[in-house]
Amino acid sequence: MGTGSGRKILFLDQFSELGGAQQCLLDLLPAVVARGWTAAVMAPGSGELAKRAAALGADFCPVCFGPFTAGTKSISDVLRFARQMPRLARQIARWKADVIYVNGPCVLLAA
């Protein structure tokens, strides 16, 4: 993949607030954009991740996913997850990405 090759990379995250994984994602974006690749970040809500990704030249695509908390999940979390997964998978497929960077285990199934 050379510079300006027109690649589309979708960065899929399960949280839109900043933590370590989200900061790593943000650290990658300048190099992706500098190569001329199209970058989009897909995450729930419109937290700090959305603002920073956009400032770095990526598109931000909010998704309806969650909310989920860290740790043990309740039965309602599991049911919500099962109900939301097909919709998230369709949103991912519509992007037609060459590469999907999955930034969290909850969104891995949909990717």
Side-chain angles (χ1 to χ4, degrees), residues 2-109:
T3 301
S5 63
R7 300 287 182 199
K8 292 169 70 175
I9 302 176
L10 176 61
F11 295 87
L12 181 60
D13 204 299
Q14 62 193 26
F15 301 113
S16 60
E17 296 305 323
L18 295 184
Q22 293 73 29
Q23 188 57 55
C24 288
L25 187 160
L26 292 171
D27 290 345
L28 290 173
L29 287 178
V32 169
V33 172
R35 289 189 73 102
W37 298 341
T38 301
V41 175
M42 194 177 275
S46 58
E48 191 64 25
L49 179 60
K51 295 174 196 143
R52 295 216 187 155
L56 293 170
D59 294 326
F60 184 80
C61 308
V63 294
C64 276
F65 186 71
F68 301 105
T69 57
T72 305
K73 305 296 182 236
S74 69
I75 191 68
S76 64
D77 284 336
V78 172
L79 293 172
R80 186 177 332 108
F81 178 81
R83 189 175 58 249
Q84 293 174 351
M85 197 55 47
R87 182 178 16 175
L88 180 58
R90 286 190 300 275
Q91 287 181 290
I92 293 166
R94 278 195 295 270
W95 178 253
K96 298 183 193 280
D98 296 301
V99 175
I100 300 173
Y101 175 102
V102 178
N103 207 28
C106 285
V107 291
L108 181 59
L109 259 167

